[in-house]
Amino acid sequence: MKQETRMFGKIWPERDRTPATTINPPLYRGSTVLFDGYQQMIQVNRHEYEGITYGTDRLPTQRQFEEAMRELEGGAVTRVFQSGIAAIQTALLAFTRSGDHILVCDNAYGPGQRFCRKVLKKFDIDYTPVPADVGADIAQYIRPNTVLILLESPGSITFEIQDIPAITAIARQKNIITVLDATWATPLYVKPFELGIDVSIHSVTKYISGYSDVLAGTVTVNERNAETFAAFYKLMEIYTPAEECYLALRGLHSMATRLRQHQQSALTIARWLESVAIVDQVLHPALPSHPEHHLWQRDFTGSSGLFAFTFKKEYTDEQLTAFIDSLRLFRLGYSWGGYQSLLTAARIVRATPSRYAGKTVVRLSIGLEDCEDLRHDLEQGLALL
Ligand SMILES: *Cc1c(COP(=O)(O)O)cnc(C)c1O
């Protein structure tokens, strides 16, 4: 192996064998991808080459994670992105053009809506927010140039659920593409393609990676949109770091087990909160008191650890600060889905009529700590109000 003598630090002959078989796949980093001979480069020029040609051509670690997600979702094509928001942005760009109009449910991820308002607008793509609990009444918002509907169900702050099959049935008739941000439910608790959705998005940053140390997102599309989306992704020359793909793939293996615990603890705490005198509503889709509980029961197979609650009266910022800063186990932070329990609180502002407008919503991400400890933490904090 005369190549061996020219390689720094390589102790095995190139291409003959890998030095060890590990359970997790090797991590591929690279900009340059080497060809075996000039014949292959000729094939590239003729668009006949089927191998990987460049770092942005989806190296094997990335492809392996994409394939795992594609299989879990039951889609035709999955592509990975450097964040969930990048996944949303690219999906919107892939399926719209100047002069188009899109509908976005009003509880969709804020930065995604901001992208519609400020970036798509620059390209003369118009956007209308529709109520967060929209169903068949979406028809009244559809214009002749409406090409896409972006849904998020349940929404990740106020947890309204849209009637997805009613919306996709109407959209299908009018040739409108439906996109669902399914991050809350993960690929385990909702099957978007079975509900008629065309494009399924996940922020991998949350439960899929699971440890609050990865930013990534995926877009999975059905057969009819596979070619368009794969071609657009290629045009964008997106690079997702191999480490993120590796950690995401690793996270998938424990996701079902983690989620069972998140689900159980969150339900225990949500049910307890319903019995707390100063608590008004507990916004958890799996509780019978949730306004769209029947839709959750019909379309979802589980619930994750993220939910919220409101108070019977509005407290001052000082009072809320006393409650929130007294907590020992709940930390303050936005990106949920990890083992650490988190809290955020904000007054809800919506573009469309909302049952929560103007109310303070406290959102909890229930982590993997002992559930009784979490409950006690909240109990002592709420006692201060
Ligand atoms: C966090 C989140 C996103 C964005 O994901 P990032 O990876 O943080 O960019 C998109 N949608 C939902 C529902 C989210 O919770």
Side-chain angles (χ1 to χ4, degrees):
M1 288 291 135
K2 86 174 157 346
Q3 262 192 351
E4 197 177 16
T5 60
R6 288 188 273 116
M7 303 263 173
F8 295 105
K10 284 260 169 97
I11 56 165
W12 70 93
E14 276 286 281
R15 285 195 295 275
D16 281 5
R17 62 186 177 91
T18 55
T21 304
T22 51
I23 289 177
N24 289 327
L27 200 148
Y28 284 84
R29 288 185 62 91
S31 51
T32 309
V33 173
L34 297 174
F35 295 89
D36 288 341
Y38 187 54
Q39 186 57 34
Q40 288 185 340
M41 284 185 147
I42 293 172
Q43 287 176 340
V44 172
N45 294 337
R46 291 182 184 153
H47 307 286
E48 288 166 1
Y49 185 67
E50 302 211 319
I52 299 171
T53 57
Y54 200 71
T56 54
D57 195 16
R58 306 166 46 238
L59 295 175
T61 318
Q62 174 171 345
R63 288 178 183 230
Q64 211 158 338
F65 173 55
E66 288 174 348
E67 180 51 22
M69 281 295 288
R70 191 198 62 72
E71 212 181 310
L72 253 181
E73 295 236 70
V77 159
T78 298
R79 292 290 182 264
V80 64
F81 295 82
Q82 65 274 30
S83 63
I85 186 62
I88 294 170
Q89 293 169 347
T90 310
L92 292 175
L93 288 172
F95 293 110
T96 54
R97 65 179 64 218
S98 179
D100 284 346
H101 171 244
I102 68 171
L103 298 174
V104 181
C105 69
D106 203 12
N107 58 353
Y109 187 61
Q113 295 203 54
R114 197 161 64 220
F115 176 80
C116 296
R117 269 199 312 276
K118 307 234 167 171
V119 182
L120 292 185
K121 192 84 195 154
K122 284 194 347 162
F123 301 104
D124 194 27
I125 296 160
D126 212 2
Y127 130 96
T128 306
V130 296
D133 57 353
V134 70
D137 52 328
I138 194 134
Q140 70 192 79
Y141 300 93
I142 293 173
R143 301 179 193 168
N145 61 337
T146 305
V147 297
L148 183 146
I149 300 171
L150 172 62
L151 304 174
E152 181 180 323
S153 193
S156 53
I157 294 179
T158 39
F159 303 92
E160 300 93 339
I161 294 182
Q162 295 109 46
D163 190 337
I164 300 171
I167 295 167
T168 55
I170 292 168
R172 208 34 80 82
Q173 277 172 11
K174 298 183 182 276
N175 223 6
I176 295 170
I177 292 195
T178 49
V179 183
L180 176 68
D181 181 338
T183 301
W184 180 86
T186 82
L188 294 179
Y189 292 161
V190 72
K191 297 292 175 195
F193 300 115
E194 291 174 13
L195 302 175
I197 289 286
D198 295 304
V199 180
S200 167
I201 296 182
H202 286 280
S203 168
V204 171
T205 309
K206 312 292 164 51
Y207 289 113
I208 294 171
S209 66
Y211 290 85
S212 308
D213 56 359
V214 168
L215 274 156
T218 57
V219 172
T220 302
V221 301
N222 56 7
E223 197 63 55
R224 84 173 68 196
N225 297 294
E227 220 168 289
T228 307
F229 192 71
F232 189 77
Y233 185 90
K234 179 87 190 96
L235 282 172
M236 297 299 281
E237 296 286 341
I238 289 155
Y239 178 76
T240 308
E243 287 81 357
E244 314 305 275
C245 297
Y246 175 92
L247 288 170
L249 186 58
R250 194 174 71 160
L252 276 185
H253 291 282
S254 62
M255 183 168 67
T257 308
R258 285 184 282 111
L259 272 175
R260 272 197 290 275
Q261 187 60 50
H262 287 296
Q263 169 164 238
Q264 191 188 323
S265 296
L267 275 169
T268 303
I269 291 172
R271 287 187 188 120
W272 167 73
L273 278 168
E274 283 200 308
S275 73
V276 173
I278 60 170
V279 168
D280 186 17
Q281 279 170 291
V282 179
L283 322 182
H284 189 310
L287 294 181
S289 60
H290 187 278
E292 291 95 39
H293 176 65
H294 59 292
L295 296 180
W296 173 80
Q297 266 189 321
R298 186 191 64 191
D299 297 340
F300 295 77
T301 54
S303 58
S304 57
L306 192 77
F307 71 96
F309 64 92
T310 58
F311 293 112
K312 285 188 179 137
K313 59 173 267 200
E314 282 298 314
Y315 293 100
T316 63
D317 282 345
E318 288 70 27
Q319 287 172 308
L320 289 174
T321 302
F323 154 51
I324 291 168
D325 286 355
S326 79
L327 301 175
R328 310 268 311 271
L329 297 180
F330 285 86
R331 306 292 299 273
L332 301 178
Y334 293 114
S335 186
W336 40 276
Y339 58 84
Q340 168 69 54
S341 286
L342 298 169
L343 178 149
T344 61
R347 279 209 179 81
I348 299 302
V349 180
R350 291 276 186 256
T352 62
S354 160
R355 52 191 181 239
Y356 308 114
K359 288 190 182 172
T360 298
V361 167
V362 178
R363 186 185 74 173
L364 303 176
S365 174
I366 302 300
L368 299 177
E369 302 92 338
D370 181 82
C371 185
E372 260 310 284
D373 289 349
L374 292 174
R375 197 182 65 76
H376 278 133
D377 199 26
L378 288 171
E379 193 169 35
Q380 66 77 31
L382 290 170
L384 300 175
L385 289 177

